[in-house]
């Protein structure tokens, strides 16, 4: 693949746009579903929780979130206008029932008041955070006291084998992610690393190791 093509893939993964963006979103939903479900499970969602997801893509997994308990409210933030529109369309029933709320944001400032959410999660966005410590502090700010944040990412050892990750991606292993978190007041209360088989761009099955760090606001 040419450098330009690889850069285009990296850019679409960061912020899907146009027709290619819809294809990318569908592909991301399929390839990331186990990571997403792991992130959600680790939240231990309970009745009446207000939940925030950062970088939801097409949010085709929202039904799974809503099955976790009753009286839930889900809020999704996305940098991509396209994904905002897709997510609203796919989840129009939850939107019309005022159970799900989607917004576009700049990827840096979370447009909610302090202590708004009980649970927050994000999958495969860590690589794109421009100022990671600042952004973690933003997440901390909008979480309730004792609130839980699930941070899910693929391990650097897997990601660096993908040719497009040299553009726009900052890769992490558990140690690097923990070091980042140690610069904030968050406390790591659990960590889960799983390995799954995923299809590579060329069609063969490869092992992907991914981790969910479960953080709590003290």
């Amino acid at each position: 693949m040419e450098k330009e093509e690889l850069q285009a893939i990296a850019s679409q993964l960061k912020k899907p746009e146009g027709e290619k963006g819809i294809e990318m979103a569908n592909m991301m939903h399929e390839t990331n579903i186990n990571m997403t479900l792991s992130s959600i499970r680790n939240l231990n969602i309970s009745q009446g929780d207000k939940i925030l997801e950062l970088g939801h893509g097409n949010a085709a997994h929202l039904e799974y979130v809503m099955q976790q308990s009753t009286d839930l409210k889900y809020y999704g933030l996305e940098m991509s206008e396209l994904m905002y529109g897709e997510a609203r369309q796919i989840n129009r029933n939850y939107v019309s029932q005022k159970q799900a709320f989607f917004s576009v944001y700049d990827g840096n400032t979370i447009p909610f008041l302090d202590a708004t959410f009980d649970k927050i999660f994000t999958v495969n966005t860590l690589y794109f955070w421009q100022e990671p410590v600042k952004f973690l502090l933003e997440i901390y700010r909008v979480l309730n006291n004792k609130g839980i944040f699930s941070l899910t990412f693929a391990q650097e050892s897997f990601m660096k084998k993908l040719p497009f990750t040299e553009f726009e991606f900052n890769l992490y292993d558990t140690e690097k992610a923990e070091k980042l978190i140690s610069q904030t007041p968050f406390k790591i209360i659990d960590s889960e690393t799983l390995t799954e088989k995923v299809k590579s761009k060329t069609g063969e099955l490869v092992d992907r190791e991914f981790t969910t760090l479960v953080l709590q606001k003290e």
Side-chain angles (χ1 to χ4, degrees), residues 39-95:
S39 207
I40 294 163
R41 274 196 309 272
N42 274 292
L43 289 173
N44 291 321
I45 290 169
S46 51
Q47 186 182 1
D49 274 351
K50 275 178 91 169
I51 302 154
L52 172 65
E53 181 177 10
L54 301 161
H56 50 70
N58 66 14
H61 52 273
L62 178 54
E63 193 164 353
Y64 182 77
V65 175
M66 291 305 194
Q67 288 166 353
Q68 301 304 302
S69 194
T70 54
D71 196 25
L72 302 176
K73 289 266 192 282
Y74 167 97
Y75 294 76
L77 286 178
E78 212 3 291
M79 294 197 305
S80 163
E81 289 268 0
L82 181 72
M83 291 303 95
Y84 160 77
E86 280 286 286
R88 279 179 58 87
Q89 173 61 21
I90 288 170
N91 299 291
R92 53 193 176 278
N93 291 347
Y94 290 121
V95 172

Side-chain angles (χ1 to χ4, degrees), residues 130-192:
Q130 291 172 335
E131 295 184 79
V133 175
K134 231 182 199 176
F135 195 57
L136 277 172
L137 292 173
E138 266 293 273
I139 294 166
Y140 191 87
R141 177 183 69 75
V142 298
L143 254 186
N144 279 333
N145 200 25
K146 300 292 177 200
I148 301 292
F149 170 45
S150 272
L151 174 62
T152 303
F153 58 96
Q155 288 282 340
E156 182 172 15
S157 53
F158 168 79
M159 292 294 283
K160 66 183 182 194
K161 293 176 189 164
L162 307 175
F164 49 80
T165 56
E166 65 178 289
F167 308 102
E168 307 212 35
F169 282 74
N170 286 315
L171 303 181
Y172 288 83
D173 56 19
T174 303
E175 194 183 337
K176 269 192 209 171
E178 287 176 347
K179 199 172 172 185
L180 176 66
I181 293 154
S182 72
Q183 298 172 67
T184 75
F186 269 121
K187 184 181 174 195
I188 299 172
I189 57 167
D190 205 359
S191 173
E192 177 183 63

Side-chain angles (χ1 to χ4, degrees), residues 29 32 44 64 77 104 111 142 163-164 166 185 201 212 214 216:
H29 170 69
N32 293 340
N44 291 321
Y64 182 77
L77 286 178
V104 177
V142 298
F164 49 80
E166 65 178 289
K201 287 272 186 294
T212 297
V214 187
Q216 187 168 40

